[in-house]
Amino acid sequence: MKSVNQPYPIVIIGAGPIGLAAAAHLVERHQAILVLEAGASAGASIQNWGHIKLFSTWLYNIDAAARRLLETPTEHYAADWDAPTEDRLPTGMELVNDYLKPLAAHPALAPRISYRHRVTNITRIHPNGPGIDKTRSPGRAESLFLVRTSTPEGTTDVLARAVIDASGTWNTPNPVGRSGIDAIGEAEATSAGFITSPLPDPLGTDQKLFAGKTIFVLGAGHSAANTLISLGRLRQQHPNTTILWGLRGPANPVRLYGGGAADELPARGQLGTSLRRFVADGDITVVENVSVAALEAGERLTVNLSDERSFVVDLVVPATGFRPDLKILSELRLDLDQIVEAPLALGPLIDPEFHSCGTVTAHGERILAHPETDFYIVGMKSYGRAPTFLLATGYEQVRSIAASLAGDRMAADRVELQLPETGVCSTDLGGCCDVPAADEPTPSCGAPGTAAESCCGAPLPVSIGFATGTLHGHAELLSEQKS
């Protein structure tokens, strides 16, 4: 193994779970790092959905190098961090407060994190100063990265020998409009407050905003399901609340609620039961084949569909998913999958047309590499527009990349993550003991049969994301392709 040390740091963009895991692995390998975080604290984006419970236990949400850092006493660190109980499902705020903030405050990391530093551009320059734009090849692989940041003190350029982009996708949600672009009037509707956060808190801080209103929830994924269940429970307290559930296609009961031979989502089944009940009882009205053409903001919001239907609502919840911000990378040479905008070799592994998170295999530096030497996109952003992502998979990504940047090719190529077939997803839809159906008792530890079926037993991986991969639920597709 050849150790790599350079006078310039490795810049990590983002102080979320994957960015801080990358920092921990690189510090463990004695590499110089600098973490640039746009927010005021670690896990800033997660705090926007802090009320949501993750769908995997603490066992799968703490990176190995980060744990070693937090549990190892040094001259300047007492190692007094209390690890959360492994079989509990944390909320977003618990992930931040009980893990990310202590990790970011560790004396090995804290001096190397710059907050309120938003990266606006990345390009390359020669060590002696001349610039290298995207079209220039001579000496490119040996050049430095110039990372431009916007800070409260002004614009700052940072030089780096490598860049790991773990900035996530929270700040770039998909639009409400059809075909991947804004609806006419969408920007105005957003500015006027008619379009909410993708993951509001109807039972908590946003209750006054939602109670008694007509709400249009657009989307059929985990965010939509989580919000709809919360709104259904809100309507039980405020019956004058109207809930419309907009689907871009026809209503498919299996896809909406889970179930059947193609469904390997036992934990989602519990939530599917709650969601189905709210629809059956008339608390939630399903609107099929929604294609939003225009939004008209007035005293209320008029939602105009492409088939000339229209609805007058008070709020729209855009549970439409997210996409990566690639504008800051426009001067870099990237190989991206044309469909999901993930690294080219990763794209086919995560294409939601064929894979759920449970069918995505662990992958490392070679899969994530680009023609731009020593530049990597990791974490949720590495999945592009694919809807589900595993924290544990992201931790494996940065472990491998850190090994490569430190010159340890053997460790970089070694797969150190073994996930069960169903996978362990970090997502926005709660499950198992944490979100029981409204009129069903929560399983209690010690009750007959709960050990194997509930969160009270040994920690088990929980699957999220429909089992659309050929290995999970739709194996017949593979046989058809071979025949």
Side-chain angles (χ1 to χ4, degrees), residues 30-199:
H30 308 290
Q31 302 300 300
I33 65 164
L34 175 62
V35 181
L36 302 175
E37 167 56 47
S41 62
S45 292
I46 296 175
Q47 295 176 47
N48 290 287
W49 49 269
H51 58 289
I52 300 296
K53 191 163 281 191
L54 275 71
F55 213 43
S56 54
T57 65
W58 275 112
L59 175 66
Y60 301 99
N61 291 322
I62 297 176
D63 172 72
R67 179 184 287 275
R68 290 191 291 269
L69 197 63
L70 288 166
E71 293 182 342
T72 303
T74 68
E75 181 182 355
H76 304 291
Y77 177 69
D80 53 358
W81 175 67
D82 292 325
T85 304
E86 289 187 341
D87 61 356
R88 285 188 58 249
L89 298 166
T91 64
M93 282 309 302
E94 288 172 336
L95 184 70
V96 172
N97 292 331
D98 298 345
Y99 172 51
L100 296 182
K101 285 188 175 179
L103 180 59
H106 191 284
L109 297 188
R112 305 174 183 188
I113 304 175
S114 295
Y115 297 105
R116 294 190 173 91
H117 278 59
R118 181 176 298 279
V119 174
T120 58
N121 295 100
I122 307 173
T123 187
R124 301 202 78 145
I125 65 168
H126 286 295
N128 60 348
I132 305 176
D133 66 21
K134 192 173 187 176
T135 67
R136 298 178 66 85
S137 297
R140 189 174 190 89
E142 296 77 32
S143 66
L144 297 173
F145 290 91
L146 185 150
V147 182
R148 177 155 294 175
T149 64
S150 176
T151 78
E153 288 74 37
T155 301
T156 302
D157 285 343
V158 176
L159 300 184
R161 76 171 183 90
V163 174
I164 300 174
D165 184 353
S167 58
T169 58
W170 174 258
N171 293 313
T172 48
N174 288 326
V176 168
R178 55 187 170 174
S179 301
I181 64 174
D182 282 2
I184 296 172
E186 184 168 341
E188 293 79 3
T190 301
S191 298
F194 288 112
I195 299 179
T196 74
S197 157
L199 281 170

